[in-house]
Amino acid sequence: MSNTRIKTEMKFLEGNKIEGRFILPDHTITNFYVHENGEWEQFGNTQENQKKTIKELVKLIQVFYTDL
């Protein structure tokens, strides 16, 4: 059985910003950036693969901004 888990690498920046990337099971990478107001953007992969990481990104934002 292959690993279907999405891996996350990120770093926290000044001003409550986050930048990072998701490594998908097919080894492609979706980069992301979260602005200080909680808005986010993804880039560097197909739209189909970016859709696969939206749920993970929203969970990350919720955890980060809830803990502030």
Side-chain angles (χ1 to χ4, degrees):
M1 177 183 254
S2 65
N3 186 0
T4 58
R5 186 170 166 220
I6 297 173
K7 297 178 185 174
T8 307
E9 297 176 353
M10 66 186 155
K11 61 182 173 179
F12 298 97
L13 308 172
E14 287 186 43
N16 297 330
K17 299 173 190 166
I18 307 169
E19 72 176 15
R21 64 187 190 158
F22 294 112
I23 304 169
L24 281 67
D26 66 359
H27 303 289
T28 61
I29 295 172
T30 299
N31 298 292
F32 65 87
Y33 187 85
V34 181
H35 300 270
E36 64 276 352
N37 62 1
E39 291 185 19
W40 53 270
E41 55 188 287
Q42 292 189 103
F43 51 94
N45 208 332
T46 65
Q47 286 188 351
E48 187 63 31
N49 278 345
Q50 289 178 15
K51 289 178 186 176
K52 294 176 184 177
T53 58
I54 290 174
K55 187 175 179 179
E56 296 294 322
L57 186 53
V58 169
K59 286 193 299 189
L60 168 72
I61 293 167
Q62 288 174 333
V63 168
F64 181 67
Y65 285 100
T66 300
D67 289 344
L68 289 179

mmCIF file of all heavy atoms in Angstrom, residues 8-22 31-43 56-66 68:
data_model
loop_
_atom_site.group_PDB
_atom_site.id
_atom_site.type_symbol
_atom_site.label_atom_id
_atom_site.label_comp_id
_atom_site.label_asym_id
_atom_site.label_seq_id
_atom_site.Cartn_x
_atom_site.Cartn_y
_atom_site.Cartn_z
ATOM 1 N N THR A 8 3.515 18.257 5.172
ATOM 2 C CA THR A 8 3.545 19.712 5.251
ATOM 3 C C THR A 8 4.887 20.177 5.799
ATOM 4 O O THR A 8 5.363 19.661 6.799
ATOM 5 C CB THR A 8 2.428 20.229 6.188
ATOM 6 O OG1 THR A 8 1.182 19.694 5.772
ATOM 7 C CG2 THR A 8 2.361 21.739 6.163
ATOM 8 N N GLU A 9 5.468 21.154 5.115
ATOM 9 C CA GLU A 9 6.658 21.838 5.601
ATOM 10 C C GLU A 9 6.308 23.316 5.633
ATOM 11 O O GLU A 9 5.748 23.840 4.670
ATOM 12 C CB GLU A 9 7.843 21.606 4.668
ATOM 13 C CG GLU A 9 8.269 20.162 4.578
ATOM 14 C CD GLU A 9 9.394 19.940 3.572
ATOM 15 O OE1 GLU A 9 9.768 20.873 2.837
ATOM 16 O OE2 GLU A 9 9.876 18.803 3.510
ATOM 17 N N MET A 10 6.618 24.007 6.734
ATOM 18 C CA MET A 10 6.252 25.419 6.815
ATOM 19 C C MET A 10 7.161 26.152 7.772
ATOM 20 O O MET A 10 7.861 25.547 8.575
ATOM 21 C CB MET A 10 4.812 25.558 7.261
ATOM 22 C CG MET A 10 4.559 25.085 8.661
ATOM 23 S SD MET A 10 2.823 25.123 9.045
ATOM 24 C CE MET A 10 2.773 23.889 10.305
ATOM 25 N N LYS A 11 7.135 27.469 7.637
ATOM 26 C CA LYS A 11 7.827 28.308 8.608
ATOM 27 C C LYS A 11 6.946 29.509 8.896
ATOM 28 O O LYS A 11 6.186 29.980 8.051
ATOM 29 C CB LYS A 11 9.218 28.711 8.134
ATOM 30 C CG LYS A 11 9.270 29.513 6.879
ATOM 31 C CD LYS A 11 10.722 29.794 6.517
ATOM 32 C CE LYS A 11 10.804 30.457 5.162
ATOM 33 N NZ LYS A 11 12.181 30.763 4.791
ATOM 34 N N PHE A 12 7.033 29.952 10.121
ATOM 35 C CA PHE A 12 6.248 31.089 10.587
ATOM 36 C C PHE A 12 7.089 32.346 10.442
ATOM 37 O O PHE A 12 8.251 32.370 10.847
ATOM 38 C CB PHE A 12 5.812 30.867 12.034
ATOM 39 C CG PHE A 12 4.937 29.659 12.191
ATOM 40 C CD1 PHE A 12 5.469 28.445 12.581
ATOM 41 C CD2 PHE A 12 3.587 29.734 11.918
ATOM 42 C CE1 PHE A 12 4.668 27.317 12.713
ATOM 43 C CE2 PHE A 12 2.775 28.618 12.050
ATOM 44 C CZ PHE A 12 3.316 27.413 12.445
ATOM 45 N N LEU A 13 6.499 33.363 9.879
ATOM 46 C CA LEU A 13 7.188 34.614 9.627
ATOM 47 C C LEU A 13 6.659 35.708 10.538
ATOM 48 O O LEU A 13 5.591 35.563 11.142
ATOM 49 C CB LEU A 13 6.986 35.024 8.157
ATOM 50 C CG LEU A 13 7.335 33.954 7.124
ATOM 51 C CD1 LEU A 13 6.912 34.420 5.740
ATOM 52 C CD2 LEU A 13 8.817 33.640 7.154
ATOM 53 N N GLU A 14 7.375 36.808 10.619
ATOM 54 C CA GLU A 14 6.910 37.943 11.414
ATOM 55 C C GLU A 14 5.552 38.412 10.914
ATOM 56 O O GLU A 14 5.239 38.271 9.737
ATOM 57 C CB GLU A 14 7.907 39.100 11.307
ATOM 58 C CG GLU A 14 9.186 38.866 12.074
ATOM 59 C CD GLU A 14 10.070 40.086 12.056
ATOM 60 O OE1 GLU A 14 9.563 41.210 12.223
ATOM 61 O OE2 GLU A 14 11.284 39.894 11.862
ATOM 62 N N GLY A 15 4.778 38.956 11.811
ATOM 63 C CA GLY A 15 3.477 39.492 11.433
ATOM 64 C C GLY A 15 2.419 38.441 11.202
ATOM 65 O O GLY A 15 1.490 38.645 10.421
ATOM 66 N N ASN A 16 2.546 37.279 11.838
ATOM 67 C CA ASN A 16 1.555 36.194 11.733
ATOM 68 C C ASN A 16 1.392 35.681 10.310
ATOM 69 O O ASN A 16 0.295 35.324 9.886
ATOM 70 C CB ASN A 16 0.201 36.638 12.290
ATOM 71 C CG ASN A 16 0.264 36.955 13.757
ATOM 72 O OD1 ASN A 16 1.056 36.383 14.487
ATOM 73 N ND2 ASN A 16 -0.549 37.888 14.203
ATOM 74 N N LYS A 17 2.471 35.611 9.576
ATOM 75 C CA LYS A 17 2.450 35.069 8.213
ATOM 76 C C LYS A 17 3.059 33.668 8.239
ATOM 77 O O LYS A 17 3.886 33.359 9.093
ATOM 78 C CB LYS A 17 3.242 35.964 7.267
ATOM 79 C CG LYS A 17 2.696 37.369 7.177
ATOM 80 C CD LYS A 17 3.622 38.236 6.368
ATOM 81 C CE LYS A 17 3.199 39.686 6.493
ATOM 82 N NZ LYS A 17 4.235 40.590 6.010
ATOM 83 N N ILE A 18 2.633 32.859 7.300
ATOM 84 C CA ILE A 18 3.150 31.496 7.191
ATOM 85 C C ILE A 18 3.479 31.242 5.726
ATOM 86 O O ILE A 18 2.706 31.608 4.836
ATOM 87 C CB ILE A 18 2.106 30.450 7.631
ATOM 88 C CG1 ILE A 18 1.548 30.759 9.015
ATOM 89 C CG2 ILE A 18 2.708 29.048 7.588
ATOM 90 C CD1 ILE A 18 0.330 29.919 9.381
ATOM 91 N N GLU A 19 4.617 30.597 5.482
ATOM 92 C CA GLU A 19 4.899 30.127 4.129
ATOM 93 C C GLU A 19 5.336 28.680 4.219
ATOM 94 O O GLU A 19 5.914 28.262 5.220
ATOM 95 C CB GLU A 19 5.936 30.990 3.421
ATOM 96 C CG GLU A 19 7.343 30.853 3.917
ATOM 97 C CD GLU A 19 8.333 31.682 3.103
ATOM 98 O OE1 GLU A 19 7.932 32.572 2.334
ATOM 99 O OE2 GLU A 19 9.526 31.423 3.240
ATOM 100 N N GLY A 20 5.008 27.937 3.193
ATOM 101 C CA GLY A 20 5.371 26.529 3.236
ATOM 102 C C GLY A 20 4.991 25.809 1.970
ATOM 103 O O GLY A 20 4.691 26.422 0.939
ATOM 104 N N ARG A 21 4.973 24.497 2.092
ATOM 105 C CA ARG A 21 4.620 23.661 0.942
ATOM 106 C C ARG A 21 4.016 22.357 1.414
ATOM 107 O O ARG A 21 4.286 21.887 2.520
ATOM 108 C CB ARG A 21 5.835 23.403 0.073
ATOM 109 C CG ARG A 21 6.927 22.607 0.733
ATOM 110 C CD ARG A 21 8.134 22.550 -0.154
ATOM 111 N NE ARG A 21 9.114 21.599 0.361
ATOM 112 C CZ ARG A 21 10.037 21.043 -0.354
ATOM 113 N NH1 ARG A 21 10.146 21.337 -1.635
ATOM 114 N NH2 ARG A 21 10.877 20.189 0.177
ATOM 115 N N PHE A 22 3.179 21.825 0.558
ATOM 116 C CA PHE A 22 2.610 20.498 0.753
ATOM 117 C C PHE A 22 3.283 19.571 -0.243
ATOM 118 O O PHE A 22 3.415 19.913 -1.423
ATOM 119 C CB PHE A 22 1.101 20.491 0.476
ATOM 120 C CG PHE A 22 0.296 21.301 1.448
ATOM 121 C CD1 PHE A 22 -0.350 22.460 1.037
ATOM 122 C CD2 PHE A 22 0.163 20.918 2.765
ATOM 123 C CE1 PHE A 22 -1.109 23.209 1.918
ATOM 124 C CE2 PHE A 22 -0.590 21.660 3.664
ATOM 125 C CZ PHE A 22 -1.230 22.809 3.231
ATOM 126 N N ASN A 31 3.014 24.940 -3.187
ATOM 127 C CA ASN A 31 3.492 25.971 -2.272
ATOM 128 C C ASN A 31 2.306 26.781 -1.769
ATOM 129 O O ASN A 31 1.299 26.920 -2.471
ATOM 130 C CB ASN A 31 4.468 26.896 -2.994
ATOM 131 C CG ASN A 31 5.689 26.145 -3.470
ATOM 132 O OD1 ASN A 31 6.494 25.692 -2.681
ATOM 133 N ND2 ASN A 31 5.812 25.980 -4.768
ATOM 134 N N PHE A 32 2.443 27.341 -0.554
ATOM 135 C CA PHE A 32 1.371 28.193 -0.041
ATOM 136 C C PHE A 32 1.947 29.343 0.761
ATOM 137 O O PHE A 32 3.084 29.307 1.233
ATOM 138 C CB PHE A 32 0.373 27.395 0.802
ATOM 139 C CG PHE A 32 0.934 26.826 2.078
ATOM 140 C CD1 PHE A 32 0.952 27.565 3.248
ATOM 141 C CD2 PHE A 32 1.420 25.530 2.114
ATOM 142 C CE1 PHE A 32 1.453 27.032 4.428
ATOM 143 C CE2 PHE A 32 1.932 24.986 3.285
ATOM 144 C CZ PHE A 32 1.945 25.740 4.451
ATOM 145 N N TYR A 33 1.126 30.368 0.880
ATOM 146 C CA TYR A 33 1.475 31.549 1.666
ATOM 147 C C TYR A 33 0.212 32.026 2.354
ATOM 148 O O TYR A 33 -0.836 32.144 1.721
ATOM 149 C CB TYR A 33 2.032 32.651 0.763
ATOM 150 C CG TYR A 33 2.554 33.831 1.534
ATOM 151 C CD1 TYR A 33 3.856 33.834 2.027
ATOM 152 C CD2 TYR A 33 1.755 34.931 1.786
ATOM 153 C CE1 TYR A 33 4.345 34.913 2.751
ATOM 154 C CE2 TYR A 33 2.242 36.014 2.507
ATOM 155 C CZ TYR A 33 3.532 36.003 2.975
ATOM 156 O OH TYR A 33 4.007 37.059 3.694
ATOM 157 N N VAL A 34 0.307 32.257 3.662
ATOM 158 C CA VAL A 34 -0.819 32.761 4.441
ATOM 159 C C VAL A 34 -0.455 34.169 4.898
ATOM 160 O O VAL A 34 0.580 34.375 5.537
ATOM 161 C CB VAL A 34 -1.130 31.866 5.659
ATOM 162 C CG1 VAL A 34 -2.319 32.413 6.428
ATOM 163 C CG2 VAL A 34 -1.374 30.426 5.231
ATOM 164 N N HIS A 35 -1.301 35.122 4.551
ATOM 165 C CA HIS A 35 -1.084 36.517 4.913
ATOM 166 C C HIS A 35 -1.503 36.758 6.362
ATOM 167 O O HIS A 35 -2.206 35.958 6.963
ATOM 168 C CB HIS A 35 -1.881 37.433 3.974
ATOM 169 C CG HIS A 35 -1.476 37.273 2.552
ATOM 170 N ND1 HIS A 35 -0.480 38.009 1.970
ATOM 171 C CD2 HIS A 35 -1.922 36.418 1.585
ATOM 172 C CE1 HIS A 35 -0.328 37.646 0.709
ATOM 173 N NE2 HIS A 35 -1.194 36.675 0.446
ATOM 174 N N GLU A 36 -1.095 37.891 6.905
ATOM 175 C CA GLU A 36 -1.369 38.212 8.309
ATOM 176 C C GLU A 36 -2.858 38.279 8.619
ATOM 177 O O GLU A 36 -3.266 38.093 9.757
ATOM 178 C CB GLU A 36 -0.683 39.526 8.725
ATOM 179 C CG GLU A 36 -1.166 40.754 7.999
ATOM 180 C CD GLU A 36 -0.485 40.970 6.649
ATOM 181 O OE1 GLU A 36 0.483 40.266 6.310
ATOM 182 O OE2 GLU A 36 -0.959 41.845 5.916
ATOM 183 N N ASN A 37 -3.692 38.506 7.628
ATOM 184 C CA ASN A 37 -5.141 38.582 7.850
ATOM 185 C C ASN A 37 -5.832 37.236 7.669
ATOM 186 O O ASN A 37 -7.051 37.150 7.711
ATOM 187 C CB ASN A 37 -5.762 39.630 6.939
ATOM 188 C CG ASN A 37 -5.584 39.310 5.462
ATOM 189 O OD1 ASN A 37 -5.006 38.284 5.108
ATOM 190 N ND2 ASN A 37 -6.054 40.186 4.613
ATOM 191 N N GLY A 38 -5.065 36.167 7.434
ATOM 192 C CA GLY A 38 -5.635 34.835 7.272
ATOM 193 C C GLY A 38 -5.948 34.457 5.837
ATOM 194 O O GLY A 38 -6.273 33.313 5.561
ATOM 195 N N GLU A 39 -5.857 35.417 4.916
ATOM 196 C CA GLU A 39 -6.057 35.073 3.506
ATOM 197 C C GLU A 39 -4.860 34.258 3.031
ATOM 198 O O GLU A 39 -3.742 34.431 3.524
ATOM 199 C CB GLU A 39 -6.218 36.343 2.671
ATOM 200 C CG GLU A 39 -7.511 37.067 2.962
ATOM 201 C CD GLU A 39 -7.721 38.256 2.046
ATOM 202 O OE1 GLU A 39 -7.093 38.334 0.971
ATOM 203 O OE2 GLU A 39 -8.519 39.125 2.422
ATOM 204 N N TRP A 40 -5.091 33.393 2.056
ATOM 205 C CA TRP A 40 -4.045 32.489 1.622
ATOM 206 C C TRP A 40 -4.014 32.365 0.113
ATOM 207 O O TRP A 40 -4.965 32.728 -0.577
ATOM 208 C CB TRP A 40 -4.236 31.109 2.248
ATOM 209 C CG TRP A 40 -5.596 30.532 2.027
ATOM 210 C CD1 TRP A 40 -6.687 30.696 2.831
ATOM 211 C CD2 TRP A 40 -6.030 29.741 0.926
ATOM 212 N NE1 TRP A 40 -7.765 30.035 2.307
ATOM 213 C CE2 TRP A 40 -7.392 29.438 1.122
ATOM 214 C CE3 TRP A 40 -5.406 29.245 -0.211
ATOM 215 C CZ2 TRP A 40 -8.132 28.664 0.226
ATOM 216 C CZ3 TRP A 40 -6.155 28.475 -1.094
ATOM 217 C CH2 TRP A 40 -7.497 28.186 -0.864
ATOM 218 N N GLU A 41 -2.898 31.870 -0.380
ATOM 219 C CA GLU A 41 -2.755 31.569 -1.792
ATOM 220 C C GLU A 41 -1.900 30.325 -1.946
ATOM 221 O O GLU A 41 -1.079 30.023 -1.084
ATOM 222 C CB GLU A 41 -2.152 32.748 -2.555
ATOM 223 C CG GLU A 41 -0.833 33.239 -1.986
ATOM 224 C CD GLU A 41 -0.362 34.519 -2.634
ATOM 225 O OE1 GLU A 41 0.071 34.462 -3.796
ATOM 226 O OE2 GLU A 41 -0.440 35.565 -1.968
ATOM 227 N N GLN A 42 -2.149 29.600 -3.010
ATOM 228 C CA GLN A 42 -1.371 28.406 -3.335
ATOM 229 C C GLN A 42 -0.835 28.568 -4.752
ATOM 230 O O GLN A 42 -1.476 29.207 -5.592
ATOM 231 C CB GLN A 42 -2.244 27.153 -3.292
ATOM 232 C CG GLN A 42 -2.722 26.792 -1.911
ATOM 233 C CD GLN A 42 -3.390 25.433 -1.915
ATOM 234 O OE1 GLN A 42 -2.792 24.469 -1.488
ATOM 235 N NE2 GLN A 42 -4.615 25.369 -2.379
ATOM 236 N N PHE A 43 0.318 27.957 -5.017
ATOM 237 C CA PHE A 43 0.913 28.086 -6.343
ATOM 238 C C PHE A 43 1.921 26.967 -6.562
ATOM 239 O O PHE A 43 2.292 26.257 -5.616
ATOM 240 C CB PHE A 43 1.579 29.461 -6.511
ATOM 241 C CG PHE A 43 2.519 29.824 -5.401
ATOM 242 C CD1 PHE A 43 3.876 29.556 -5.506
ATOM 243 C CD2 PHE A 43 2.051 30.417 -4.236
ATOM 244 C CE1 PHE A 43 4.741 29.890 -4.469
ATOM 245 C CE2 PHE A 43 2.911 30.747 -3.199
ATOM 246 C CZ PHE A 43 4.261 30.484 -3.324
ATOM 247 N N GLU A 56 -6.332 20.815 4.126
ATOM 248 C CA GLU A 56 -5.166 20.858 5.017
ATOM 249 C C GLU A 56 -4.780 22.299 5.335
ATOM 250 O O GLU A 56 -4.455 22.624 6.473
ATOM 251 C CB GLU A 56 -3.972 20.140 4.373
ATOM 252 C CG GLU A 56 -4.195 18.661 4.146
ATOM 253 C CD GLU A 56 -4.321 17.888 5.441
ATOM 254 O OE1 GLU A 56 -3.599 18.196 6.408
ATOM 255 O OE2 GLU A 56 -5.152 16.974 5.504
ATOM 256 N N LEU A 57 -4.829 23.156 4.344
ATOM 257 C CA LEU A 57 -4.456 24.557 4.542
ATOM 258 C C LEU A 57 -5.442 25.267 5.467
ATOM 259 O O LEU A 57 -5.041 26.000 6.364
ATOM 260 C CB LEU A 57 -4.373 25.264 3.189
ATOM 261 C CG LEU A 57 -3.865 26.696 3.185
ATOM 262 C CD1 LEU A 57 -2.529 26.822 3.888
ATOM 263 C CD2 LEU A 57 -3.765 27.205 1.761
ATOM 264 N N VAL A 58 -6.718 25.019 5.289
ATOM 265 C CA VAL A 58 -7.731 25.635 6.148
ATOM 266 C C VAL A 58 -7.559 25.167 7.597
ATOM 267 O O VAL A 58 -7.641 25.965 8.525
ATOM 268 C CB VAL A 58 -9.155 25.350 5.620
ATOM 269 C CG1 VAL A 58 -10.218 25.752 6.627
ATOM 270 C CG2 VAL A 58 -9.371 26.067 4.294
ATOM 271 N N LYS A 59 -7.282 23.874 7.806
ATOM 272 C CA LYS A 59 -7.044 23.373 9.168
ATOM 273 C C LYS A 59 -5.832 24.047 9.791
ATOM 274 O O LYS A 59 -5.867 24.435 10.954
ATOM 275 C CB LYS A 59 -6.857 21.850 9.157
ATOM 276 C CG LYS A 59 -8.131 21.080 8.947
ATOM 277 C CD LYS A 59 -7.983 19.603 9.253
ATOM 278 C CE LYS A 59 -6.966 18.913 8.389
ATOM 279 N NZ LYS A 59 -6.957 17.449 8.525
ATOM 280 N N LEU A 60 -4.781 24.205 9.013
ATOM 281 C CA LEU A 60 -3.580 24.863 9.505
ATOM 282 C C LEU A 60 -3.886 26.299 9.935
ATOM 283 O O LEU A 60 -3.489 26.727 11.015
ATOM 284 C CB LEU A 60 -2.515 24.862 8.408
ATOM 285 C CG LEU A 60 -1.295 25.736 8.638
ATOM 286 C CD1 LEU A 60 -0.418 25.131 9.723
ATOM 287 C CD2 LEU A 60 -0.528 25.890 7.357
ATOM 288 N N ILE A 61 -4.613 27.024 9.120
ATOM 289 C CA ILE A 61 -4.962 28.411 9.434
ATOM 290 C C ILE A 61 -5.828 28.473 10.681
ATOM 291 O O ILE A 61 -5.605 29.313 11.558
ATOM 292 C CB ILE A 61 -5.667 29.073 8.237
ATOM 293 C CG1 ILE A 61 -4.679 29.208 7.076
ATOM 294 C CG2 ILE A 61 -6.241 30.426 8.618
ATOM 295 C CD1 ILE A 61 -5.331 29.564 5.757
ATOM 296 N N GLN A 62 -6.797 27.584 10.797
ATOM 297 C CA GLN A 62 -7.671 27.578 11.967
ATOM 298 C C GLN A 62 -6.878 27.337 13.243
ATOM 299 O O GLN A 62 -7.088 28.006 14.251
ATOM 300 C CB GLN A 62 -8.767 26.535 11.809
ATOM 301 C CG GLN A 62 -9.816 26.917 10.800
ATOM 302 C CD GLN A 62 -10.818 25.796 10.552
ATOM 303 O OE1 GLN A 62 -10.518 24.620 10.715
ATOM 304 N NE2 GLN A 62 -12.001 26.166 10.103
ATOM 305 N N VAL A 63 -5.967 26.389 13.225
ATOM 306 C CA VAL A 63 -5.159 26.097 14.406
ATOM 307 C C VAL A 63 -4.265 27.278 14.738
ATOM 308 O O VAL A 63 -4.191 27.710 15.888
ATOM 309 C CB VAL A 63 -4.304 24.813 14.186
ATOM 310 C CG1 VAL A 63 -3.250 24.678 15.271
ATOM 311 C CG2 VAL A 63 -5.193 23.595 14.147
ATOM 312 N N PHE A 64 -3.620 27.824 13.761
ATOM 313 C CA PHE A 64 -2.679 28.910 13.998
ATOM 314 C C PHE A 64 -3.394 30.157 14.531
ATOM 315 O O PHE A 64 -2.971 30.747 15.503
ATOM 316 C CB PHE A 64 -1.924 29.246 12.718
ATOM 317 C CG PHE A 64 -0.911 30.346 12.902
ATOM 318 C CD1 PHE A 64 0.209 30.146 13.695
ATOM 319 C CD2 PHE A 64 -1.081 31.564 12.283
ATOM 320 C CE1 PHE A 64 1.140 31.154 13.869
ATOM 321 C CE2 PHE A 64 -0.152 32.581 12.457
ATOM 322 C CZ PHE A 64 0.963 32.382 13.239
ATOM 323 N N TYR A 65 -4.474 30.549 13.924
ATOM 324 C CA TYR A 65 -5.146 31.774 14.333
ATOM 325 C C TYR A 65 -5.990 31.584 15.593
ATOM 326 O O TYR A 65 -6.254 32.539 16.304
ATOM 327 C CB TYR A 65 -5.971 32.373 13.188
ATOM 328 C CG TYR A 65 -5.053 33.043 12.179
ATOM 329 C CD1 TYR A 65 -4.691 32.399 10.999
ATOM 330 C CD2 TYR A 65 -4.515 34.283 12.440
ATOM 331 C CE1 TYR A 65 -3.831 32.997 10.112
ATOM 332 C CE2 TYR A 65 -3.648 34.889 11.551
ATOM 333 C CZ TYR A 65 -3.304 34.233 10.382
ATOM 334 O OH TYR A 65 -2.447 34.835 9.508
ATOM 335 N N THR A 66 -6.380 30.372 15.911
ATOM 336 C CA THR A 66 -7.105 30.112 17.159
ATOM 337 C C THR A 66 -6.146 30.215 18.344
ATOM 338 O O THR A 66 -6.532 30.647 19.423
ATOM 339 C CB THR A 66 -7.741 28.706 17.130
ATOM 340 O OG1 THR A 66 -8.649 28.652 16.036
ATOM 341 C CG2 THR A 66 -8.490 28.413 18.404
ATOM 342 N N LEU A 68 -3.625 32.236 18.655
ATOM 343 C CA LEU A 68 -3.065 33.589 18.869
ATOM 344 C C LEU A 68 -3.707 34.270 20.039
ATOM 345 O O LEU A 68 -4.808 34.082 20.395
ATOM 346 C CB LEU A 68 -3.259 34.440 17.607
ATOM 347 C CG LEU A 68 -2.390 34.045 16.429
ATOM 348 C CD1 LEU A 68 -2.716 34.958 15.238
ATOM 349 C CD2 LEU A 68 -0.927 34.145 16.761
#
